[in-house]
Amino acid sequence: SAAGRMLLSKWYLRKYSSLRGFVSVNGKPLIVNKGELHLGDEVRVWSNINRAKLFVDKGARLVVGVNSRVNGVHISASNRVEIGNNVRLAPYTIIIDNDFHKVDDHFSDGGARKPIIIEDDVWVTMNCMIMKGVHIGRGAVIAAGAVVTKDVPACSVAGGVPAKVIRRITPPAGAETEHEGTKTQSNA
């Protein structure tokens, strides 16, 4: 029930930095917050298929926008991860803004850290990896199994290893998007 999910969210999200409005939890997420964790109104953190895991390191920031779904996802914020409004994150996806160690010394602690930005209305499908320093534009779709190591433009579908733009998609009627440096209004 909605009331039960609300009570669970209060328990599992007791170490949050801020909750805005109604945030619900389904299943048993693993949440370790040593930094800033901000969840918008109507965010759902679900662990039905896979356990959702949210890790925020000291000095780091994780923001999830209004009406977004975090379903069985592993998010590790060592720097900054910003997820927009109306974003869908499917199970088994990993979002990680840190290498955790150097490439030439895998026992070191000094990996590179770069923020990840996922704009509004993005759908990240199952089994994807979003790596440090990536910016995913509004309305983009990340195909199943993609490893995103570079920016993805708005209103595009990206897939593969490493992910590349497969095709452009039409934004919903009335949606504003930026494409190649120009702002446009869709009248579709």
Side-chain angles (χ1 to χ4, degrees), residues 77-156:
S78 297
N79 181 293
R80 179 172 47 110
V81 176
E82 291 184 11
I83 298 166
N85 300 326
N86 305 308
V87 172
R88 301 297 183 262
L89 302 173
Y92 305 107
T93 291
I94 297 173
I95 300 171
I96 187 167
D97 68 357
N98 186 346
D99 288 338
F100 287 101
H101 57 77
K102 297 176 183 174
V103 174
D104 57 353
D105 181 3
H106 59 272
F107 291 105
S108 68
D109 290 332
R113 298 172 183 203
K114 294 181 183 175
I116 295 172
I117 308 295
I118 300 174
E119 292 187 10
D120 297 346
D121 306 310
V122 170
W123 178 25
V124 178
T125 63
M126 290 182 73
N127 292 315
C128 293
M129 293 182 74
I130 313 297
M131 307 306 285
K132 71 179 186 313
V134 168
H135 186 126
I136 300 175
R138 183 177 184 171
V141 176
I142 309 301
V147 177
V148 183
T149 60
K150 295 184 178 166
D151 292 352
V152 175
C155 298
S156 60

Side-chain angles (χ1 to χ4, degrees), residues 5 22-26 39-48 50 52-54 62-75 83-93 95 118-126:
R5 285 193 302 272
F22 178 76
V23 174
S24 72
V25 169
N26 198 350
L39 302 176
D41 189 26
E42 297 189 33
V43 167
R44 284 151 179 83
V45 180
W46 286 19
S47 297
N48 293 344
N50 187 45
K53 300 173 194 103
L54 308 178
L62 171 58
V63 178
V64 180
V66 172
N67 195 38
S68 290
R69 308 293 188 265
V70 178
N71 186 1
V73 176
H74 175 132
I75 301 174
I83 298 166
N85 300 326
N86 305 308
V87 172
R88 301 297 183 262
L89 302 173
Y92 305 107
T93 291
I95 300 171
I118 300 174
E119 292 187 10
D120 297 346
D121 306 310
V122 170
W123 178 25
V124 178
T125 63
M126 290 182 73

